[in-house]
Amino acid sequence: MLFSDLQDVLGGNARIKKDGKITRFCTDTRSLGATSQQVFVAIKAKRDGHLFISEAIARGVRYFLIQDGALLENRKNVNYIVVPDTIRALQKVAQNHREKFDIPIVGITGSNGKTTVKEWLSVLLSEERFVIKNPKSYNSQIGVPISILEMRDLHQVGVFEAGISQRNEMEYLKKIINPSFGIFTTLGNAHSDGFRSENEKLKEKLVLFTDCKKVICRKDTSYFDQVKKNLGEKVFSWSLMPGADHYVSWENGVITVGPWSFKTQVLHAPNLENLTHAIVAALKLGISEGAIQTALQSIRAIPMRLEMKKGINGSSILDDSYNNDLQGLRVAIDYMSTNQQYRKKTLILSDILHSGKDDELLYREINDLLLEHKIDRLIGVGPRITQQQRAFSLSAVFFPTSESLLENLPSFDSEMIMVKGARDFTLERVVKRLEQRKHGTILEVNLEAIQHNLSQYRSLLSHKTKMMVMVKANAYGSGILEVSNFLQHQRVDQLGVAYVDEAILLRKNGIHLPIMIMNPDVESFHSFEKYKLQAEIYSVSHLQHFLSSSTRKSAIHLKIDTGMHRLGFDEEEIPRLLEILSLHPELKVAGIFTHFAASEDVSHDEFTNDQAAKFERIYDQISGVLGYQPDRHACNSAGIIRWPEYHYEMVRLGIGLHAYDATGNLHLQNTTVLKSTVSQVRKVKKGGTIGYSRSGVVSRDSLVAILPIGYEDGFQRAFGNGKASVMINGSLYPTIGNVCMDMVMIDVTDPEVKEGSEVIIFGETPALKDLAKTANTIPYEILTNISSRVKRVFVWE
């Protein structure tokens, strides 16, 4: 496709000085490639893509879709098309591209399970066909067209998921995907805020299937009759009860679909439902029973996402070992390259089995991708990549099999390691070898949920209001380095920490954002200029210490006490502060701020208004002496929601990022799940006692599960003796006896609970806020008390 072809599709005003071939569309400068054959699409969103045009030009982009032609009129050697709406233009280009292909396309939508069904169906289909699909969960108004534009002549079937969050969105995605075959996964509460009713949400989702020949839907659900009413005879049903087109049973690792039976390692009901959707669809699309069974051997109840884990010798592992395709590799490498925590980056990559490309061309393309993203080392696994090792010009070593890699594992030291492999190579064995010796309990941190919550708060701000995100207390227990790197990737404006040591750690691990230290010790002032840090100054004596230090050239933030009565200048100190400021015009005051004491509480609104009035009065005095206007900031997480009139030039987001909303006004996603495993299940006779002080007494013959988590890990003693429950296999079970330092006992009395069973300490259920109520505390305390010996695993869709 030539750039001039886009004008034929879109119309619009164009300046094309030098036409050329284009192969890729990009909406984010962070994922720009080195190739000149790409179009930067400037999306007008909360972070306006037009503001990054200069960066795109500096990165070599010469083709643009924009809404404001004046931005490029005086730029030489660039070509552009001006359109009224760049999102709709991107969608129109994708729709035009889709119309060139006459292959079966599967469209998937629903409230939950879309990505899992898409990934598993793609695995089943790829046994006999070349498959094109959305990478990860690219199912939005932007993600779908970007995915469709990757479709090529070699592809024989497409699998695309579509996600919507409000009315009238699906019509656009339907035109782009234009599926001939559909799967409706579930109808649930996810993304309900944009719809007036569940029925309206259902009808909007079903728009995707308007022109489908067949749509798979589970019959034994509360919403099936509505689906049938809307779609009629095109619905093809399956059910765990008789009466559907396919009667299905799940029993002892076997899924029976009509006359066919398939062995699977997937065991739990939600994943069995997702896998059944995929199997039924594969059968309807003509995939043979034998091919499906072969593919099922590689499908496990694994997370369809990238996971970051602590590795040996100070390394981190990005585990994406379940699947390997060229699109997914690009997405994973884009993410890896943005992490500044590690200077050295290594990719462990297996053969790519179903690209449809000539191996020599494929691996040369991958070599260019790795060089473009500054990957330092490649470890190739498999006979095909080994045979093509001459295609790679970066530092590389090759192994024909996973076994030979495990026998001769290279050394790793303080680096980021991406493991990306096709299921046939079982590279999860390599991940296990590279992981630190693990504690039986992990805290799983969902970076996608953090991104969602960040977007929720950003949506409340004007484009002129900056955002400082607090990452003190190890980012509220989530992991300061990983979360800060992610926030830098998301382009927040500033970070806040409590102590200098935290800030220096961030600086030494690639964080270049401005950092404010909220409680700097005067002995630490000598470090501020070296590490480009900003001090909170909260009293006259504190300011005088700063002025007498060797780092007085660093920017500062002045804190005003307006009623919190914690740190801050009292109003009677302001005249003296003004006098000092007038004597020291060299001082750089980056910000002046205060802290609302009760911004979340309606009963204290008058007090909050009084605080704001006092703050504004004092700010005017200080800025008058300075001769310029530093950034004002007062709102914390609750204040961002409830007090838009006090957003000023900057806000401070803290616990709200981690889904704690004291106001209940936002649709936030849970960001952390504390998981453990069952170490042992033992029988205890009626009347037996459990744990220290014999405080747990069983009133019947019981089964007791022992978990490797105790008060040293942050599971408080207050949770013992039945006051808290944990979830195992979808059911809640209470604690029994006192919580020990390293262990806790759970009354399970359920033969399905076995050694090695996964345990949810808190997540969606039990919820963190409910666990906090049990101990008469707040979620902050639970999160920040999770021990450092509990391994953090970071996941990203």
PDB file of all heavy atoms in Angstrom, residues 1 3 18-25 32-40 56-57 59-64 77 79 372:
ATOM      1  N   MET A   1       0.849  -1.187   0.000  1.00  0.00           N
ATOM      2  CA  MET A   1       0.000   0.000   0.000  1.00  0.00           C
ATOM      3  C   MET A   1       0.892   1.248   0.000  1.00  0.00           C
ATOM      4  O   MET A   1       1.850   1.333   0.759  1.00  0.00           O
ATOM      5  CB  MET A   1      -0.903   0.013   1.251  1.00  0.00           C
ATOM      6  CG  MET A   1      -1.793   1.251   1.366  1.00  0.00           C
ATOM      7  SD  MET A   1      -2.641   1.366   2.966  1.00  0.00           S
ATOM      8  CE  MET A   1      -3.624  -0.137   2.961  1.00  0.00           C
ATOM      9  N   PHE A   3       1.264   5.478   0.508  1.00  0.00           N
ATOM     10  CA  PHE A   3       0.633   6.475   1.365  1.00  0.00           C
ATOM     11  C   PHE A   3      -0.469   7.209   0.601  1.00  0.00           C
ATOM     12  O   PHE A   3      -1.513   7.542   1.170  1.00  0.00           O
ATOM     13  CB  PHE A   3       1.682   7.456   1.886  1.00  0.00           C
ATOM     14  CG  PHE A   3       1.138   8.451   2.867  1.00  0.00           C
ATOM     15  CD1 PHE A   3       0.654   8.036   4.104  1.00  0.00           C
ATOM     16  CD2 PHE A   3       1.088   9.797   2.568  1.00  0.00           C
ATOM     17  CE1 PHE A   3       0.136   8.946   5.022  1.00  0.00           C
ATOM     18  CE2 PHE A   3       0.576  10.718   3.472  1.00  0.00           C
ATOM     19  CZ  PHE A   3       0.100  10.289   4.701  1.00  0.00           C
ATOM     20  N   LYS A  18       6.596  13.238  -1.103  1.00  0.00           N
ATOM     21  CA  LYS A  18       7.314  12.054  -1.568  1.00  0.00           C
ATOM     22  C   LYS A  18       6.510  10.831  -1.153  1.00  0.00           C
ATOM     23  O   LYS A  18       6.469  10.473   0.015  1.00  0.00           O
ATOM     24  CB  LYS A  18       8.727  12.003  -0.977  1.00  0.00           C
ATOM     25  CG  LYS A  18       9.554  10.845  -1.522  1.00  0.00           C
ATOM     26  CD  LYS A  18      10.961  10.870  -0.931  1.00  0.00           C
ATOM     27  CE  LYS A  18      11.789   9.702  -1.490  1.00  0.00           C
ATOM     28  NZ  LYS A  18      13.166   9.699  -0.925  1.00  0.00           N
ATOM     29  N   ASP A  19       5.885  10.211  -2.128  1.00  0.00           N
ATOM     30  CA  ASP A  19       5.055   9.042  -1.840  1.00  0.00           C
ATOM     31  C   ASP A  19       5.949   7.847  -1.502  1.00  0.00           C
ATOM     32  O   ASP A  19       7.145   7.818  -1.843  1.00  0.00           O
ATOM     33  CB  ASP A  19       4.182   8.721  -3.051  1.00  0.00           C
ATOM     34  CG  ASP A  19       2.931   7.949  -2.679  1.00  0.00           C
ATOM     35  OD1 ASP A  19       2.724   7.708  -1.479  1.00  0.00           O
ATOM     36  OD2 ASP A  19       2.150   7.607  -3.589  1.00  0.00           O
ATOM     37  N   GLY A  20       5.376   6.866  -0.837  1.00  0.00           N
ATOM     38  CA  GLY A  20       6.154   5.688  -0.502  1.00  0.00           C
ATOM     39  C   GLY A  20       5.285   4.579   0.041  1.00  0.00           C
ATOM     40  O   GLY A  20       4.111   4.781   0.377  1.00  0.00           O
ATOM     41  N   LYS A  21       5.859   3.393   0.126  1.00  0.00           N
ATOM     42  CA  LYS A  21       5.155   2.222   0.631  1.00  0.00           C
ATOM     43  C   LYS A  21       5.017   2.311   2.145  1.00  0.00           C
ATOM     44  O   LYS A  21       5.945   2.745   2.840  1.00  0.00           O
ATOM     45  CB  LYS A  21       5.915   0.956   0.245  1.00  0.00           C
ATOM     46  CG  LYS A  21       5.225  -0.334   0.647  1.00  0.00           C
ATOM     47  CD  LYS A  21       6.045  -1.547   0.202  1.00  0.00           C
ATOM     48  CE  LYS A  21       5.354  -2.851   0.609  1.00  0.00           C
ATOM     49  NZ  LYS A  21       6.159  -4.040   0.200  1.00  0.00           N
ATOM     50  N   ILE A  22       3.854   1.911   2.646  1.00  0.00           N
ATOM     51  CA  ILE A  22       3.647   1.866   4.096  1.00  0.00           C
ATOM     52  C   ILE A  22       3.219   0.457   4.489  1.00  0.00           C
ATOM     53  O   ILE A  22       2.455  -0.195   3.786  1.00  0.00           O
ATOM     54  CB  ILE A  22       2.606   2.903   4.566  1.00  0.00           C
ATOM     55  CG1 ILE A  22       1.292   2.753   3.803  1.00  0.00           C
ATOM     56  CG2 ILE A  22       3.148   4.308   4.424  1.00  0.00           C
ATOM     57  CD1 ILE A  22       0.179   3.620   4.332  1.00  0.00           C
ATOM     58  N   THR A  23       3.747   0.010   5.614  1.00  0.00           N
ATOM     59  CA  THR A  23       3.465  -1.353   6.076  1.00  0.00           C
ATOM     60  C   THR A  23       2.945  -1.393   7.505  1.00  0.00           C
ATOM     61  O   THR A  23       2.557  -2.458   7.970  1.00  0.00           O
ATOM     62  CB  THR A  23       4.745  -2.206   6.006  1.00  0.00           C
ATOM     63  OG1 THR A  23       5.764  -1.598   6.824  1.00  0.00           O
ATOM     64  CG2 THR A  23       5.253  -2.330   4.581  1.00  0.00           C
ATOM     65  N   ARG A  24       2.948  -0.253   8.194  1.00  0.00           N
ATOM     66  CA  ARG A  24       2.606  -0.302   9.607  1.00  0.00           C
ATOM     67  C   ARG A  24       1.970   1.006  10.036  1.00  0.00           C
ATOM     68  O   ARG A  24       2.319   2.077   9.538  1.00  0.00           O
ATOM     69  CB  ARG A  24       3.885  -0.540  10.428  1.00  0.00           C
ATOM     70  CG  ARG A  24       3.660  -0.800  11.899  1.00  0.00           C
ATOM     71  CD  ARG A  24       4.950  -1.243  12.574  1.00  0.00           C
ATOM     72  NE  ARG A  24       4.738  -1.585  13.972  1.00  0.00           N
ATOM     73  CZ  ARG A  24       5.393  -1.015  14.979  1.00  0.00           C
ATOM     74  NH1 ARG A  24       6.310  -0.117  14.759  1.00  0.00           N
ATOM     75  NH2 ARG A  24       5.145  -1.375  16.224  1.00  0.00           N
ATOM     76  N   PHE A  25       1.009   0.912  10.968  1.00  0.00           N
ATOM     77  CA  PHE A  25       0.368   2.079  11.552  1.00  0.00           C
ATOM     78  C   PHE A  25       0.662   2.089  13.044  1.00  0.00           C
ATOM     79  O   PHE A  25       0.618   1.048  13.698  1.00  0.00           O
ATOM     80  CB  PHE A  25      -1.145   2.050  11.318  1.00  0.00           C
ATOM     81  CG  PHE A  25      -1.540   2.238   9.878  1.00  0.00           C
ATOM     82  CD1 PHE A  25      -1.445   1.195   8.968  1.00  0.00           C
ATOM     83  CD2 PHE A  25      -1.995   3.471   9.431  1.00  0.00           C
ATOM     84  CE1 PHE A  25      -1.804   1.359   7.643  1.00  0.00           C
ATOM     85  CE2 PHE A  25      -2.356   3.648   8.104  1.00  0.00           C
ATOM     86  CZ  PHE A  25      -2.257   2.590   7.204  1.00  0.00           C
ATOM     87  N   LEU A  32       7.077   2.981  18.203  1.00  0.00           N
ATOM     88  CA  LEU A  32       7.525   3.225  16.835  1.00  0.00           C
ATOM     89  C   LEU A  32       8.684   2.313  16.492  1.00  0.00           C
ATOM     90  O   LEU A  32       9.570   2.062  17.322  1.00  0.00           O
ATOM     91  CB  LEU A  32       7.971   4.682  16.671  1.00  0.00           C
ATOM     92  CG  LEU A  32       6.868   5.735  16.538  1.00  0.00           C
ATOM     93  CD1 LEU A  32       7.469   7.126  16.604  1.00  0.00           C
ATOM     94  CD2 LEU A  32       6.083   5.554  15.254  1.00  0.00           C
ATOM     95  N   GLY A  33       8.709   1.837  15.271  1.00  0.00           N
ATOM     96  CA  GLY A  33       9.829   1.047  14.798  1.00  0.00           C
ATOM     97  C   GLY A  33      10.857   1.929  14.100  1.00  0.00           C
ATOM     98  O   GLY A  33      10.701   3.144  13.983  1.00  0.00           O
ATOM     99  N   ALA A  34      11.907   1.301  13.636  1.00  0.00           N
ATOM    100  CA  ALA A  34      12.956   2.043  12.941  1.00  0.00           C
ATOM    101  C   ALA A  34      12.652   2.193  11.460  1.00  0.00           C
ATOM    102  O   ALA A  34      13.282   2.979  10.767  1.00  0.00           O
ATOM    103  CB  ALA A  34      14.292   1.331  13.128  1.00  0.00           C
ATOM    104  N   THR A  35      11.705   1.425  10.939  1.00  0.00           N
ATOM    105  CA  THR A  35      11.389   1.474   9.519  1.00  0.00           C
ATOM    106  C   THR A  35      10.760   2.804   9.136  1.00  0.00           C
ATOM    107  O   THR A  35      10.045   3.433   9.921  1.00  0.00           O
ATOM    108  CB  THR A  35      10.430   0.336   9.130  1.00  0.00           C
ATOM    109  OG1 THR A  35      10.084   0.480   7.752  1.00  0.00           O
ATOM    110  CG2 THR A  35       9.164   0.367   9.968  1.00  0.00           C
ATOM    111  N   SER A  36      11.030   3.254   7.916  1.00  0.00           N
ATOM    112  CA  SER A  36      10.416   4.481   7.409  1.00  0.00           C
ATOM    113  C   SER A  36       9.034   4.215   6.835  1.00  0.00           C
ATOM    114  O   SER A  36       8.303   5.147   6.510  1.00  0.00           O
ATOM    115  CB  SER A  36      11.313   5.100   6.333  1.00  0.00           C
ATOM    116  OG  SER A  36      11.459   4.203   5.242  1.00  0.00           O
ATOM    117  N   GLN A  37       8.651   2.941   6.740  1.00  0.00           N
ATOM    118  CA  GLN A  37       7.382   2.566   6.116  1.00  0.00           C
ATOM    119  C   GLN A  37       6.256   2.486   7.154  1.00  0.00           C
ATOM    120  O   GLN A  37       5.547   1.498   7.256  1.00  0.00           O
ATOM    121  CB  GLN A  37       7.530   1.237   5.384  1.00  0.00           C
ATOM    122  CG  GLN A  37       8.550   1.277   4.258  1.00  0.00           C
ATOM    123  CD  GLN A  37       8.726  -0.083   3.596  1.00  0.00           C
ATOM    124  OE1 GLN A  37       8.312  -1.118   4.112  1.00  0.00           O
ATOM    125  NE2 GLN A  37       9.346  -0.082   2.433  1.00  0.00           N
ATOM    126  N   GLN A  38       6.105   3.536   7.955  1.00  0.00           N
ATOM    127  CA  GLN A  38       5.071   3.530   8.982  1.00  0.00           C
ATOM    128  C   GLN A  38       4.368   4.877   9.018  1.00  0.00           C
ATOM    129  O   GLN A  38       4.942   5.909   8.667  1.00  0.00           O
ATOM    130  CB  GLN A  38       5.649   3.180  10.347  1.00  0.00           C
ATOM    131  CG  GLN A  38       6.752   4.099  10.830  1.00  0.00           C
ATOM    132  CD  GLN A  38       7.433   3.574  12.069  1.00  0.00           C
ATOM    133  OE1 GLN A  38       6.846   2.856  12.869  1.00  0.00           O
ATOM    134  NE2 GLN A  38       8.688   3.916  12.228  1.00  0.00           N
ATOM    135  N   VAL A  39       3.108   4.821   9.429  1.00  0.00           N
ATOM    136  CA  VAL A  39       2.279   6.021   9.538  1.00  0.00           C
ATOM    137  C   VAL A  39       2.013   6.269  11.018  1.00  0.00           C
ATOM    138  O   VAL A  39       1.566   5.365  11.735  1.00  0.00           O
ATOM    139  CB  VAL A  39       0.936   5.842   8.802  1.00  0.00           C
ATOM    140  CG1 VAL A  39       0.088   7.106   8.939  1.00  0.00           C
ATOM    141  CG2 VAL A  39       1.170   5.509   7.341  1.00  0.00           C
ATOM    142  N   PHE A  40       2.292   7.490  11.476  1.00  0.00           N
ATOM    143  CA  PHE A  40       1.936   7.862  12.842  1.00  0.00           C
ATOM    144  C   PHE A  40       0.541   8.484  12.809  1.00  0.00           C
ATOM    145  O   PHE A  40       0.306   9.470  12.107  1.00  0.00           O
ATOM    146  CB  PHE A  40       2.933   8.848  13.434  1.00  0.00           C
ATOM    147  CG  PHE A  40       2.605   9.245  14.851  1.00  0.00           C
ATOM    148  CD1 PHE A  40       2.713   8.334  15.887  1.00  0.00           C
ATOM    149  CD2 PHE A  40       2.153  10.524  15.145  1.00  0.00           C
ATOM    150  CE1 PHE A  40       2.391   8.691  17.197  1.00  0.00           C
ATOM    151  CE2 PHE A  40       1.827  10.895  16.443  1.00  0.00           C
ATOM    152  CZ  PHE A  40       1.950   9.968  17.472  1.00  0.00           C
ATOM    153  N   ALA A  56       7.909  11.910  16.912  1.00  0.00           N
ATOM    154  CA  ALA A  56       7.776  10.933  15.829  1.00  0.00           C
ATOM    155  C   ALA A  56       8.688  11.295  14.653  1.00  0.00           C
ATOM    156  O   ALA A  56       9.339  10.421  14.064  1.00  0.00           O
ATOM    157  CB  ALA A  56       6.317  10.855  15.369  1.00  0.00           C
ATOM    158  N   ILE A  57       8.766  12.585  14.325  1.00  0.00           N
ATOM    159  CA  ILE A  57       9.652  13.019  13.240  1.00  0.00           C
ATOM    160  C   ILE A  57      11.100  12.719  13.596  1.00  0.00           C
ATOM    161  O   ILE A  57      11.875  12.238  12.759  1.00  0.00           O
ATOM    162  CB  ILE A  57       9.445  14.520  12.946  1.00  0.00           C
ATOM    163  CG1 ILE A  57       8.044  14.763  12.355  1.00  0.00           C
ATOM    164  CG2 ILE A  57      10.521  15.039  11.991  1.00  0.00           C
ATOM    165  CD1 ILE A  57       7.697  16.229  12.190  1.00  0.00           C
ATOM    166  N   ARG A  59      12.108  10.387  15.326  1.00  0.00           N
ATOM    167  CA  ARG A  59      12.292   8.924  15.255  1.00  0.00           C
ATOM    168  C   ARG A  59      12.243   8.416  13.817  1.00  0.00           C
ATOM    169  O   ARG A  59      12.282   7.217  13.584  1.00  0.00           O
ATOM    170  CB  ARG A  59      11.205   8.232  16.086  1.00  0.00           C
ATOM    171  CG  ARG A  59      11.254   8.523  17.595  1.00  0.00           C
ATOM    172  CD  ARG A  59      12.299   7.684  18.305  1.00  0.00           C
ATOM    173  NE  ARG A  59      12.021   6.275  18.157  1.00  0.00           N
ATOM    174  CZ  ARG A  59      11.174   5.580  18.941  1.00  0.00           C
ATOM    175  NH1 ARG A  59      10.528   6.204  19.907  1.00  0.00           N
ATOM    176  NH2 ARG A  59      10.984   4.293  18.750  1.00  0.00           N
ATOM    177  N   GLY A  60      12.142   9.329  12.847  1.00  0.00           N
ATOM    178  CA  GLY A  60      12.217   8.929  11.449  1.00  0.00           C
ATOM    179  C   GLY A  60      10.896   8.781  10.729  1.00  0.00           C
ATOM    180  O   GLY A  60      10.856   8.351   9.573  1.00  0.00           O
ATOM    181  N   VAL A  61       9.785   9.115  11.368  1.00  0.00           N
ATOM    182  CA  VAL A  61       8.474   8.993  10.713  1.00  0.00           C
ATOM    183  C   VAL A  61       8.315  10.103   9.680  1.00  0.00           C
ATOM    184  O   VAL A  61       8.623  11.277   9.958  1.00  0.00           O
ATOM    185  CB  VAL A  61       7.336   9.062  11.753  1.00  0.00           C
ATOM    186  CG1 VAL A  61       5.978   8.992  11.062  1.00  0.00           C
ATOM    187  CG2 VAL A  61       7.470   7.921  12.761  1.00  0.00           C
ATOM    188  N   ARG A  62       7.809   9.737   8.513  1.00  0.00           N
ATOM    189  CA  ARG A  62       7.604  10.716   7.442  1.00  0.00           C
ATOM    190  C   ARG A  62       6.164  10.752   6.942  1.00  0.00           C
ATOM    191  O   ARG A  62       5.833  11.526   6.050  1.00  0.00           O
ATOM    192  CB  ARG A  62       8.549  10.406   6.274  1.00  0.00           C
ATOM    193  CG  ARG A  62      10.032  10.606   6.616  1.00  0.00           C
ATOM    194  CD  ARG A  62      10.334  12.065   6.930  1.00  0.00           C
ATOM    195  NE  ARG A  62      11.718  12.282   7.367  1.00  0.00           N
ATOM    196  CZ  ARG A  62      12.101  12.352   8.633  1.00  0.00           C
ATOM    197  NH1 ARG A  62      11.208  12.221   9.610  1.00  0.00           N
ATOM    198  NH2 ARG A  62      13.367  12.564   8.949  1.00  0.00           N
ATOM    199  N   TYR A  63       5.296   9.892   7.516  1.00  0.00           N
ATOM    200  CA  TYR A  63       3.898   9.842   7.079  1.00  0.00           C
ATOM    201  C   TYR A  63       2.993   9.996   8.306  1.00  0.00           C
ATOM    202  O   TYR A  63       3.198   9.325   9.328  1.00  0.00           O
ATOM    203  CB  TYR A  63       3.601   8.519   6.374  1.00  0.00           C
ATOM    204  CG  TYR A  63       4.481   8.285   5.163  1.00  0.00           C
ATOM    205  CD1 TYR A  63       5.516   7.353   5.204  1.00  0.00           C
ATOM    206  CD2 TYR A  63       4.274   9.001   3.984  1.00  0.00           C
ATOM    207  CE1 TYR A  63       6.323   7.143   4.104  1.00  0.00           C
ATOM    208  CE2 TYR A  63       5.078   8.788   2.881  1.00  0.00           C
ATOM    209  CZ  TYR A  63       6.110   7.858   2.939  1.00  0.00           C
ATOM    210  OH  TYR A  63       6.915   7.667   1.861  1.00  0.00           O
ATOM    211  N   PHE A  64       1.983  10.876   8.181  1.00  0.00           N
ATOM    212  CA  PHE A  64       1.141  11.191   9.328  1.00  0.00           C
ATOM    213  C   PHE A  64      -0.337  11.257   8.923  1.00  0.00           C
ATOM    214  O   PHE A  64      -0.684  11.750   7.845  1.00  0.00           O
ATOM    215  CB  PHE A  64       1.527  12.550   9.923  1.00  0.00           C
ATOM    216  CG  PHE A  64       2.884  12.573  10.557  1.00  0.00           C
ATOM    217  CD1 PHE A  64       4.022  12.816   9.793  1.00  0.00           C
ATOM    218  CD2 PHE A  64       3.036  12.343  11.915  1.00  0.00           C
ATOM    219  CE1 PHE A  64       5.275  12.835  10.368  1.00  0.00           C
ATOM    220  CE2 PHE A  64       4.287  12.364  12.505  1.00  0.00           C
ATOM    221  CZ  PHE A  64       5.419  12.607  11.728  1.00  0.00           C
ATOM    222  N   ASN A  77      10.035  17.551   4.392  1.00  0.00           N
ATOM    223  CA  ASN A  77      10.224  16.107   4.198  1.00  0.00           C
ATOM    224  C   ASN A  77       9.235  15.248   4.973  1.00  0.00           C
ATOM    225  O   ASN A  77       9.550  14.125   5.361  1.00  0.00           O
ATOM    226  CB  ASN A  77      11.658  15.689   4.574  1.00  0.00           C
ATOM    227  CG  ASN A  77      12.694  16.451   3.773  1.00  0.00           C
ATOM    228  OD1 ASN A  77      12.513  16.671   2.574  1.00  0.00           O
ATOM    229  ND2 ASN A  77      13.764  16.868   4.436  1.00  0.00           N
ATOM    230  N   ASN A  79       4.976  13.982   5.059  1.00  0.00           N
ATOM    231  CA  ASN A  79       3.756  13.857   4.274  1.00  0.00           C
ATOM    232  C   ASN A  79       2.592  13.642   5.233  1.00  0.00           C
ATOM    233  O   ASN A  79       2.737  12.906   6.215  1.00  0.00           O
ATOM    234  CB  ASN A  79       3.869  12.670   3.316  1.00  0.00           C
ATOM    235  CG  ASN A  79       5.144  12.731   2.493  1.00  0.00           C
ATOM    236  OD1 ASN A  79       5.214  13.392   1.470  1.00  0.00           O
ATOM    237  ND2 ASN A  79       6.188  12.030   2.959  1.00  0.00           N
ATOM    238  N   GLU A 372      16.454  -2.947  16.429  1.00  0.00           N
ATOM    239  CA  GLU A 372      15.686  -1.699  16.512  1.00  0.00           C
ATOM    240  C   GLU A 372      15.345  -1.353  17.958  1.00  0.00           C
ATOM    241  O   GLU A 372      15.371  -0.181  18.359  1.00  0.00           O
ATOM    242  CB  GLU A 372      14.425  -1.884  15.680  1.00  0.00           C
ATOM    243  CG  GLU A 372      13.358  -0.832  15.796  1.00  0.00           C
ATOM    244  CD  GLU A 372      12.087  -1.303  15.088  1.00  0.00           C
ATOM    245  OE1 GLU A 372      12.191  -1.961  14.035  1.00  0.00           O
ATOM    246  OE2 GLU A 372      11.004  -1.017  15.610  1.00  0.00           O
TER     247      GLU A 372
END
